[in-house]
Amino acid sequence: MRRAIEGRNRRWIGLLFLGALVIAPYLVRAQSSEAFEERVKRIGKKLLCLCGCNQILVECNHRNCPFSGPAIETLRQAVQRYESDDLAIQVMIQQYGTVVLAAPPAQGFNLAAWITPVAAATGGLVLIALVLRRWSRRHAVTPMEGAPIPDDPAWRERVRQEIEKELGGLS
Amino acid sequence: MMDSLGSFAVLLALTACAYAFLAGIIAHLKKQPVLKATARRAGVAIFPTLSVAVVCLWGLFLSDEFSIAYVANHSNRELPFFYKFAALWSGQEGSLLFWSWILSGYMFFVLMAHREEGELRPLAGVILAGIQLFFLILNAFVVSPFRVLVEVAPDGTLRPFVPADGRGLNPLLQYPEMVLHPPTLYLGYVGFSVPFAFALAALIMRSPGERWIHVTRRWTMIAWGFLTLGILMGAHWAYAVLGWGGYWGWDPVENASLMPWLTGTAFLHSVMMQERRGMLKVWNVWLVFITFLLCVFGTFLTRSGVVSSVHAFAQSPIGHWFVGFLLLVLAVDLFFFSRRRDYLRSEHRLEAVLSREASFLFNNLVLLAACFAVLWGTLFPVISEAVTGNKVSVGPPFFNRVNIPIFLLLLLLTGMGPLLAWRRTSWESLKRNFTYPTLIGVGTGVLLFVLSVRDLYALMAFGLSAFVTVTIVSEFYRGARVIRSQTGRTWAQALLELVLRNTRRYGGYVVHFGIVVMAIGIAGSAFDKEREMEMRVGSTLELGRYAVTLKDRTRGETPNYIYERLTLEVRRGDERLTMLAPERRLYKASEQPLTKVTIHSGWREDLYIYFAGVNPETGLPIIHAYVNPLVRWLWIGGGIVLLGTLVALYPGRRPMKVAVSERAQAREREVAYAKGD
């Protein structure tokens, strides 16, 4: 009896193994096809459609777009041919020029595109820091404390009004 | 008849404007009150005169007068009435006339109101007339919308030509929001002319006191509000019509509207330093000048063809005119700035880095850095081509990488600024004010990280949003608590009283809260999902929590277009959510296609369906579906920003007299003493 059950199990295991062997290539192909599409999309997001719509290549949705359709096909061929993303992008640059890149490459003059906004913001920050320092120094020599408070009702009223204005009537 | 009347009205407006400008200058120089009065009247007359021209153009559209080139190029017989109305601003010529008309409306209002500004108003009117003159010259001689359509006769001469039907309105513009988007955007762009005129007039006249800065600030707020509304409507139109699943593509024309918005925002903050402390006068005047120059520059970008954009008008020689005008305005600004620099000397100096003033300075720096990054990215393709001879593109990856950190910093400052005191903030108050907001902000970030949110920028955006929200809520809570303790009112009454006492301050906080809600909506885009599928009737596309089944595919026709419609059933689990019907249309007159997007919107996410096309081999429709999280928050946040702007514009009232507490009584005694009673 036990031997019969063991024999049946073995048959099931054998069938499952055989089934897995048959399905495996399809699964691998499906997975690799998904990975391929992912890769096309990932690289395509670094490229621009040049039909004038200014959209990312794989996001261009213009019907019969004269650029995005053929360009995506070129990209798919490049992705199929090269394992490196950089090489696939190089194929696109060779075909359409650097203008196909959605952002300027960080080399040569195009480096300026990336550096200038950062440099301008840093310059502004330094400028503000310098101005603050200068003003703070000037303020430091201006006597703040110890200055006599004038015993002037008009002055008191002005101070009161300023506080009122600052606090929106909450004081 | 109507075209002749329209042309005549434009010429008449031009004459009145030239008189208002020249007579205004002479009257100002020679101090001639009679001449000044006539210049003012001429300025006032421009608006009704141009209104005649605009009504004539509308009349030409409504009566299908295709002998007029502009009407023939932008309308057709079957175009719905609604869009014939909006066709007026759909092209270069009409939109420039519309621009002039709005400017004349602003000028009319400035010259009729603002009587209390004394000498400042007439001079501001003269400056507005100068700007108006430029646009009217374009309307009359360069891009007139009243030109008659002509064709070349067999003998080589030109003769009038009347086509049987027009070429129709661009299908992308046949969307309800497009009827409102351009006018609001123009109201914003053109509105910045008014603060510019007042600022320049004050500089020229060395206007005493701070009155002019109040006027300039108020007008800036109005223009800023319209520009905000215009930008939001444009973003919503892009989302609901263009079909790529997003609302902001960093297109040069979108950027052109964002730049003056950023500098206008900077001015609305830094102007407080001038009003309260007499500081940053040079900075403020230049912010107003730059904002106006950016508005003109944006118009130049849209209309010159210098950068490629899906929104831009066709390339035309009009660009040279705008470059000339920009240079002229800049030269005038520089001239008067150099001659009147002493007038803009600061009355006070900054006393401490930890102060409200310093936070405004940093806020201005960040806003200007964002503006510069957008300007630089927009112009870089032109600069690069001029320097290297090679074309490069600057698209969304560049703008996102450069601007997202800047905007996150701005969000941080939005929360920090209101917690800092004017002049100087002590460490104790800093600790007291920042402890809870910081803890809640960091806690939110950590919680979301634990809940598997891994996008760094999104985490920062959500954490900072929580931080800013707590700071805003605490400001309202503290203020309302004081009023409650003074008057014994309910929380709702106390909050209302608080806002009405200082509408500008609390309206500003409402705007900040709107920005926070918008930031949450924008951060949601880090989690977008999409899927494309070829579908048969009965097949189902699954994306996220949704299952979309194609139920039917029909074709039909309206007088204006031919369509193919898909009927889709949307289910979430076992629940049937809705039916959606995306379409592909072919407009008969223009022979241009359009895809009608359908959106099922929710608080958590939008299901966005786009009929991408038909597979030519199988004949089956292709559906592109997106799940866009939190998009609704963006629109609601925009609404809150506009509500806050309206609150800030509403005149605040003086605090109520409450003599219930001893403190209040003591204060009254102090006031009585000060008055000498």
Side-chain angles (χ1 to χ4, degrees):
Chain A
M1 179 70 177
R2 192 190 289 168
R3 199 174 288 172
I5 292 167
E6 275 177 4
R8 208 182 303 151
N9 283 351
R10 232 177 266 150
R11 257 204 310 276
W12 272 113
I13 289 166
L15 274 173
L16 278 174
F17 184 69
L18 201 67
L21 273 180
V22 173
I23 294 166
Y26 291 102
L27 284 175
V28 169
R29 200 178 301 161
Q31 205 173 15
S32 64
S33 151
E34 212 167 278
F36 174 79
E37 291 302 331
E38 273 300 309
R39 216 178 132 214
V40 169
K41 196 181 278 181
R42 192 179 62 234
I43 300 172
K45 282 194 172 173
K46 292 179 183 169
L47 306 170
L48 213 59
C49 176
L50 299 181
C51 75
C53 68
N54 230 32
Q55 285 180 342
I56 291 294
L57 180 64
V58 288
E59 286 172 2
C60 173
N61 57 358
H62 294 121
R63 190 158 67 162
N64 305 326
C65 174
F67 185 83
S68 64
I72 290 172
E73 195 44 48
T74 310
L75 175 64
R76 295 175 74 86
Q77 286 169 8
V79 169
Q80 208 151 31
R81 194 164 161 199
Y82 298 106
E83 282 186 8
S84 152
D85 289 5
D86 286 343
L87 283 176
I89 289 173
Q90 276 307 318
V91 170
M92 297 301 283
I93 293 173
Q94 293 293 322
Q95 180 99 5
Y96 303 105
T98 46
V99 71
V100 78
L101 295 173
Q107 59 193 37
F109 178 76
N110 292 328
L111 202 57
W114 297 98
I115 290 174
T116 310
V118 181
T122 313
L125 199 66
V126 170
L127 197 71
I128 286 186
L130 288 175
V131 169
L132 286 176
R133 209 170 134 200
R134 202 174 129 204
W135 283 0
S136 301
R137 273 187 189 164
R138 281 194 187 185
H139 180 71
V141 294
T142 314
M144 268 261 312
E145 280 160 332
I149 296 169
D151 188 20
D152 174 10
W155 181 83
R156 285 169 67 95
E157 171 60 8
R158 216 180 74 219
V159 169
R160 193 195 63 76
Q161 281 177 354
E162 265 188 35
I163 293 169
E164 183 96 334
K165 198 170 149 193
E166 294 262 338
L167 301 179
L170 299 179
S171 60
Chain B
M1 172 63 188
M2 265 195 286
D3 55 313
S4 303
L5 183 61
S7 294
F8 179 71
V10 171
L11 283 173
L12 199 62
L14 176 66
T15 314
C17 186
Y19 181 82
F21 182 60
L22 295 172
I25 291 176
I26 295 166
H28 180 73
L29 293 174
K30 308 260 181 193
K31 313 270 182 230
Q32 292 184 357
V34 177
L35 198 60
K36 194 184 284 179
T38 58
R40 180 183 160 271
R41 282 178 198 144
V44 168
I46 299 170
F47 178 59
T49 317
L50 267 185
S51 299
V52 172
V54 169
V55 169
C56 283
L57 193 53
W58 263 320
L60 291 168
F61 270 108
L62 295 177
S63 58
D64 295 326
E65 192 56 60
F66 300 123
S67 62
I68 304 301
Y70 187 69
V71 178
N73 287 331
H74 296 93
S75 181
N76 62 298
R77 291 187 193 283
E78 297 302 336
L79 188 70
F81 171 82
F82 204 42
Y83 296 122
K84 279 185 182 171
F85 182 75
L88 187 127
W89 49 79
S90 64
Q92 181 89 277
E93 298 89 341
S95 64
L96 274 177
L97 178 66
F98 190 59
W99 184 292
S100 282
W101 186 52
I102 291 176
L103 181 56
S104 69
Y106 274 123
M107 194 172 157
F108 180 83
F109 192 80
V110 165
L111 292 174
M112 296 300 280
H114 287 302
R115 288 176 196 281
E116 69 276 21
E117 307 319 329
E119 286 297 302
L120 200 59
R121 181 185 65 168
L123 193 56
V126 171
I127 294 162
L128 284 173
I131 302 166
Q132 180 89 69
L133 195 59
F134 166 72
F135 283 97
L136 281 170
I137 288 170
L138 294 180
N139 297 144
F141 305 117
V142 187
V143 279
S144 169
F146 298 105
R147 282 213 177 115
V148 174
L149 196 61
V150 287
E151 64 174 358
V152 183
D155 62 352
T157 57
L158 293 175
R159 64 181 182 196
F161 167 66
V162 185
D165 200 356
R167 292 167 69 183
L169 183 66
N170 185 338
L172 289 172
L173 305 180
Q174 295 187 38
Y175 184 75
E177 225 159 357
M178 279 313 282
V179 178
L180 292 172
H181 162 61
T184 46
L185 204 60
Y186 285 11
L187 281 165
Y189 274 143
V190 182
F192 280 116
S193 309
V194 181
F196 169 77
F198 273 104
L200 186 58
L203 187 63
I204 293 170
M205 291 176 59
R206 290 197 170 91
S207 177
E210 294 297 308
R211 177 68 198 163
W212 72 271
I213 200 82
H214 296 309
V215 177
T216 306
R217 195 240 317 147
R218 207 164 176 75
W219 275 103
T220 303
M221 220 188 284
I222 292 168
W224 186 90
F226 278 123
L227 192 59
T228 308
L229 181 61
I231 291 173
L232 279 168
M233 280 187 163
H236 193 264
W237 168 78
Y239 185 62
V241 172
L242 294 184
W244 55 280
Y247 41 79
W248 192 264
W250 295 106
D251 180 273
V253 174
E254 292 172 345
N255 296 347
S257 64
L258 184 64
M259 288 186 282
W261 187 88
L262 289 167
T263 51
T265 310
F267 172 73
L268 286 174
H269 286 88
S270 65
V271 72
M272 281 187 257
M273 285 173 70
Q274 183 164 346
E275 285 177 296
R276 283 176 182 267
R277 313 271 342 266
M279 293 164 78
L280 291 187
K281 291 181 182 179
V282 172
W283 182 260
N284 282 328
V285 158
W286 273 102
L287 275 180
V288 177
F289 289 173
I290 287 170
T291 305
F292 176 68
L293 285 166
L294 284 171
C295 288
V296 180
F297 178 73
T299 320
F300 159 72
L301 271 188
T302 322
R303 292 159 191 278
S304 63
V306 69
V307 288
S308 65
S309 161
V310 72
H311 302 280
F313 293 97
Q315 193 161 1
S316 74
I318 207 170
H320 305 299
W321 286 84
F322 275 95
V323 171
F325 183 60
L326 266 174
L327 292 174
L328 181 68
V329 174
L330 187 62
V332 169
D333 293 346
L334 283 169
F335 174 77
F336 283 110
F337 173 69
S338 62
R339 296 288 297 268
R340 308 280 194 273
R341 216 172 151 185
D342 56 314
Y343 166 67
L344 298 172
R345 199 160 287 148
S346 277
E347 291 161 28
H348 295 97
R349 300 281 176 186
L350 200 78
E351 292 170 22
V353 176
L354 280 177
S355 62
R356 182 81 65 93
E357 293 93 318
S359 88
F360 279 148
L361 264 184
F362 285 114
N363 144 306
N364 266 239
L365 172 72
V366 174
L367 282 164
L368 287 197
C371 179
F372 178 76
V374 174
L375 178 69
W376 180 249
T378 308
L379 288 183
F380 192 75
V382 182
I383 296 169
S384 175
E385 194 176 5
V387 174
T388 65
N390 289 328
K391 267 194 167 182
V392 291
S393 303
V394 179
F398 171 85
F399 289 105
N400 287 337
R401 203 176 300 170
V402 173
N403 281 306
I404 289 175
I406 295 177
F407 285 120
L408 286 173
L409 190 57
L410 201 59
L411 199 56
L412 175 71
L413 288 172
T414 307
M416 285 176 69
L419 297 184
L420 299 173
W422 289 98
R423 302 183 77 164
R424 186 183 292 273
T425 305
S426 67
W427 280 105
E428 286 70 32
S429 113
L430 202 68
K431 254 192 287 182
R432 192 174 57 242
N433 288 339
F434 278 90
T435 305
Y436 286 115
T438 308
L439 283 175
I440 292 171
V442 173
T444 306
V446 170
L447 181 71
L448 289 171
F449 185 81
V450 171
L451 292 172
S452 301
V453 176
R454 289 293 182 272
D455 187 283
L456 178 67
Y457 285 149
L459 277 174
M460 288 173 74
F462 290 130
L464 286 171
S465 297
F467 168 76
V468 181
T469 305
V470 176
T471 62
I472 295 167
V473 170
S474 69
E475 282 290 298
F476 276 96
Y477 170 73
R478 278 186 222 166
R481 193 178 58 184
V482 172
I483 290 179
R484 258 172 67 83
S485 69
Q486 284 180 348
T487 63
R489 291 181 172 191
T490 63
W491 276 106
Q493 286 169 331
L495 272 171
L496 186 66
E497 174 65 25
L498 178 76
V499 173
L500 288 175
R501 279 187 189 185
N502 197 340
T503 50
R504 188 174 157 200
R505 176 177 175 175
Y506 291 98
Y509 289 151
V510 175
V511 171
H512 282 186
F513 181 64
I515 297 286
V516 166
V517 178
M518 287 175 77
I520 292 171
I522 294 167
S525 64
F527 312 101
D528 288 354
K529 290 180 202 145
E530 60 180 296
R531 195 177 165 197
E532 193 171 271
M533 188 177 158
E534 198 176 305
M535 296 181 84
R536 289 174 191 284
V537 173
S539 62
T540 299
L541 177 151
E542 288 187 3
L543 181 65
R545 302 182 297 155
Y546 305 95
V548 181
T549 305
L550 178 60
K551 290 286 182 189
D552 197 11
R553 184 181 178 189
T554 50
R555 290 186 177 84
E557 195 171 334
T558 72
N560 199 20
Y561 56 83
I562 302 162
Y563 67 85
E564 182 176 358
R565 181 180 298 152
L566 303 178
T567 308
L568 301 165
E569 183 191 64
V570 179
R571 301 185 78 87
R572 192 167 55 203
D574 294 332
E575 182 194 1
R576 186 178 137 175
L577 279 184
T578 186
M579 299 296 286
L580 296 176
E583 282 178 9
R584 275 154 59 85
R585 295 175 180 173
L586 182 69
Y587 283 80
K588 292 175 187 171
S590 60
E591 294 187 344
Q592 286 185 45
L594 178 91
T595 301
K596 184 176 158 269
V597 172
T598 50
I599 303 167
H600 174 69
S601 186
W603 287 102
R604 186 169 150 179
E605 61 204 9
D606 281 8
L607 175 67
Y608 182 102
I609 305 241
Y610 175 73
F611 185 175
V614 175
N615 185 337
E617 288 166 17
T618 60
L620 293 174
I622 301 165
I623 293 287
H624 201 124
Y626 300 82
V627 170
N628 297 330
L630 305 176
V631 175
R632 184 183 273 187
W633 291 58
L634 175 67
W635 315 127
I636 289 174
I640 297 172
V641 168
L642 293 170
L643 176 73
T645 312
L646 287 176
V647 171
L649 279 168
Y650 187 75
R653 69 180 183 216
R654 295 288 305 153
M656 291 172 57
K657 288 268 177 194
V658 279
V660 287
S661 69
E662 276 184 29
R663 196 168 147 218
Q665 284 170 11
R667 209 180 65 196
E668 295 240 327
R669 281 199 296 277
E670 190 186 0
V671 173
Y673 166 75
K675 283 181 182 164
D677 293 347

